[in-house]
Amino acid sequence: MEEYSVFTWASVIVICSFIGFMIENAWIGIRFGYVDNRNMYLPFLLGYGIAVVLFYLILGLPERYPDVKYFISVFAMVSTGEIVLGYVVEKMCGIYYWDYSGLPFHITRYTSLFTSMGFAVMITAFMRCVFPRIIDVISNADSTIITYAGITMSGLLVVDYLASFYQMKKRRDFHQRWKFILYEKKTEDSFVIDRS
């Protein structure tokens, strides 16, 4: 496995955190008809950036094994991560961060067979097709600006994460800063993933 500098990893975390923010809002926009700040001040979700780096450090890239083995490993990691994060937020902030209990084959309220499979498919595809290009571009960019921007931005993401969770813990409620309605829902869905 090729070694990368801490500056490269910091930039990867920032980029993947932004991609995670956009993916979540795309899903919420399609499913529920709005987009919002996803409980953060900044348009980044640090968990996605950290998760991508962990997938790489633990599993490498999908080409290392047959994709089925990689997919199963990602599925197990996603399921475990969702359960742990969900319970930590529940105990820390007194809220259900998300709730899949209305879905078939849910495992606790925080994960389900189908959501974990969906994440595993997306992550496997991302790690095969997108991640190598992102890390190559960043690691080959010989720029002081990129180096310091990655470190500065990743530091801001950590501060944002801590500040946002402090607000949720203090209020025992979601940390909604803004919300744009894209369209009005005609009927209520049978389960809620709304974290706003």
Side-chain angles (χ1 to χ4, degrees):
M1 190 179 298
E2 188 174 347
E3 293 295 324
Y4 296 104
S5 73
V6 66
F7 306 109
T8 298
W9 288 123
S11 296
V12 167
I13 287 171
V14 170
I15 291 168
C16 293
S17 296
F18 179 72
I19 291 170
F21 178 86
M22 298 303 289
I23 288 170
E24 273 207 15
N25 262 315
W27 167 251
I28 294 299
I30 292 166
R31 181 81 173 146
F32 297 105
Y34 69 88
V35 294
D36 69 9
N37 64 297
R38 309 314 301 140
N39 299 304
M40 300 290 126
Y41 288 100
L42 300 173
F44 299 89
L45 293 173
L46 183 60
Y48 283 89
I50 291 172
V52 165
V53 170
L54 288 176
F55 288 129
Y56 179 76
L57 294 176
I58 294 169
L59 301 175
L61 296 175
E63 63 193 11
R64 281 188 53 199
Y65 345 83
D67 281 355
V68 173
K69 182 178 177 183
Y70 195 91
F71 171 86
I72 291 168
S73 299
V74 171
F75 174 87
M77 290 172 70
V78 165
S79 298
T80 303
E82 283 195 313
I83 291 169
V84 169
L85 178 60
Y87 277 121
V88 166
V89 174
E90 181 182 334
K91 297 302 178 193
M92 186 177 86
C93 302
I95 58 175
Y96 298 135
Y97 209 21
W98 63 88
D99 190 348
Y100 294 149
S101 58
L103 288 176
F105 306 108
H106 66 275
I107 307 159
T108 77
R109 75 175 65 248
Y110 297 117
T111 195
S112 75
L113 177 66
F114 296 121
T115 56
S116 290
M117 285 176 63
F119 274 120
V121 167
M122 288 190 298
I123 291 164
T124 301
F126 179 84
M127 294 303 285
R128 176 180 283 281
C129 303
V130 180
F131 178 82
R133 289 174 177 81
I134 290 172
I135 202 159
D136 282 346
V137 167
I138 294 169
S139 63
N140 292 324
D142 185 18
S143 169
T144 304
I145 293 173
I146 289 175
T147 296
Y148 289 110
I151 291 294
T152 302
M153 282 301 298
S154 59
L156 287 173
L157 265 59
V158 170
V159 170
D160 181 42
Y161 184 84
L162 295 173
S164 298
F165 272 86
Y166 171 77
Q167 289 298 324
M168 286 193 287
K169 180 175 174 56
K170 180 177 153 185
R171 291 190 236 160
R172 300 186 76 73
D173 199 358
F174 295 103
H175 178 59
Q176 186 168 69
R177 304 294 296 176
W178 55 268
K179 180 177 184 177
F180 296 112
I181 305 297
L182 303 175
Y183 64 89
E184 293 295 329
K185 290 289 288 180
K186 293 180 181 174
T187 59
E188 290 297 316
D189 287 308
S190 60
F191 79 97
V192 176
I193 186 177
D194 182 359
R195 298 189 307 179
S196 60

